[in-house]
């Protein structure tokens, strides 16, 4: 089968938003190559984990980021390139730098697509206990505490290597003690759902606005047989959902977190946690102010580069 590859040159801060644009356009998969990720690879950085590859052996872009998507050739995606370019350029209205905003389309075949992922996707420790591993790699945990998240990056964005995903997983790691119920809003590839369950939580619901992401999450869950059954549905944030959870996690853009704040409040019990990421530095106050106005207490702010994660809690009014 022939496919159309659409590659967008953008900035590191805009990769998740650009990936979302491509998925909404109908992409069958999205790959992210970010110069910032490669800049952080150093030999021996992870101690006993070690580095999986020699950083000097990796071919990668030197600046910015490249987000690559694949569409069935029958969809004539070339006609949508101008619209994609306009949407990428308009990201500056949301406070994101679109970078070069260059959109390039070219045809590829199944073989080229299948091998394209493997040139830069490799096992990566993302928290103290969690390592993301592509499903084609043979990998053995380095110690009894390490947990492996297996993903197929060809099914949706959210491979666990982007700073926003790492911050979300670190946030979950800091609040999960075992047995908590979790709702994952904007699940994408399902990486946070898988991570939460491996840390000992019980994910009762995962949602995403995009049907392709729902399918991706379900398939990635199947790659991790130790994960229990999870209800994955297409839904707009928490609209119409009345289930109570101990933890609600969302790795989405700041402007989308704000309307989620009152919904999360209504679905959390006293002492429940709201773990968020996807917040660029100049949007942090927007998110934390919305949380405080709702009544949340900010327990911790996490930072990686220009990205932030926030751990908020619905406080006990008798103790605050």
């Amino acid at each position: 089968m022939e496919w159309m590859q659409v590659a967008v040159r953008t900035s590191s801060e805009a990769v998740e938003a650009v990936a979302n644009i491509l998925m909404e356009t109908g992409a069958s998969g999205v790959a992210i190559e970010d110069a910032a990720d490669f800049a952080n690879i150093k030999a021996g950085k992870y101690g006993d984990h070690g580095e999986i590859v020699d950083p000097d052996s990796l071919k990668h872009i030197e600046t910015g980021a490249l987000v690559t998507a694949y569409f069935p050739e029958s969809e004539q995606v070339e006609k949508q390139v101008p619209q994609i370019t306009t949407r990428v350029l308009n990201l500056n209205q949301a406070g994101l730098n679109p970078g070069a905003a260059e959109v390039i389309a070219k045809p590829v075949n199944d073989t080229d697509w299948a091998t394209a992922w493997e040139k830069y996707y490799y096992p990566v420790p993302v928290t103290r206990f969690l390592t993301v591993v592509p499903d084609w790699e043979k990998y053995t945990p380095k110690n009894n505490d390490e947990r492996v998240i297996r993903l197929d990056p060809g099914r949706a964005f959210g491979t666990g290597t982007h700073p926003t995903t790492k911050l979300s997983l670190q946030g979950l790691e800091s609040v999960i003690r075992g047995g908590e119920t979790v709702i994952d809003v904007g699940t994408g590839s399902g990486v946070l759902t898988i991570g939460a369950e491996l840390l000992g939580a019980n994910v009762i619901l995962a949602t995403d606005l995009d049907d392709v992401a729902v399918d991706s999450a379900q398939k990635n869950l199947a790659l991790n047989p130790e994960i229990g059954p999870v209800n994955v549905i297409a839904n707009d944030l928490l609209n119409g959902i009345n289930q109570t959870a101990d933890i609600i996690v969302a790795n989405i853009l700041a402007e989308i977190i704000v309307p989620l704040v009152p919904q999360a409040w209504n679905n959390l019990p006293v002492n429940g946690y709201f773990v968020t990421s996807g917040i660029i530095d100049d949007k942090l106050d927007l998110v934390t102010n919305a949380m405080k106005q709702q009544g949340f207490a900010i327990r911790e702010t996490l930072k990686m580069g220009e990205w932030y994660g926030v751990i908020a809690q619905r406080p006990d009014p008798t103790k605050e």
Side-chain angles (χ1 to χ4, degrees), residues 1 5 48 72 76 90 94-95 102 128 137-138 151 159 165 171 178 184 201-202 216 225 229 239 256 268 278 292 296:
M1 181 177 179
Q5 173 184 289
D48 292 340
Q76 299 181 320
N90 287 342
E102 181 183 6
R128 179 182 176 187
E137 289 276 353
K138 292 183 178 179
L151 295 178
T159 62
T165 314
D184 177 9
N202 174 30
S216 166
N239 289 329
I256 305 175
L268 285 169
K292 292 174 183 176
F296 279 107

Side-chain angles (χ1 to χ4, degrees), residues 245-311:
D246 301 306
I247 301 168
I248 293 175
V249 60
N251 177 22
I252 51 183
L253 294 176
E255 290 80 4
I256 305 175
I257 293 174
V258 171
L260 178 62
V261 168
Q263 297 178 351
W265 178 268
N266 291 333
N267 284 273
L268 285 169
V270 169
N271 295 323
Y273 285 102
F274 185 28
V275 179
T276 59
S277 185
I279 308 164
I280 199 68
D281 50 10
D282 62 358
K283 298 292 183 179
L284 179 62
D285 288 344
L286 173 70
V287 173
T288 56
N289 287 340
M291 290 178 173
K292 292 174 183 176
Q293 290 173 7
Q294 182 65 54
F296 279 107
I298 308 299
R299 299 306 187 197
E300 189 174 358
T301 301
L302 308 172
K303 186 176 188 297
M304 187 173 294
E306 55 196 352
W307 293 99
Y308 284 86
V310 176
I311 300 175

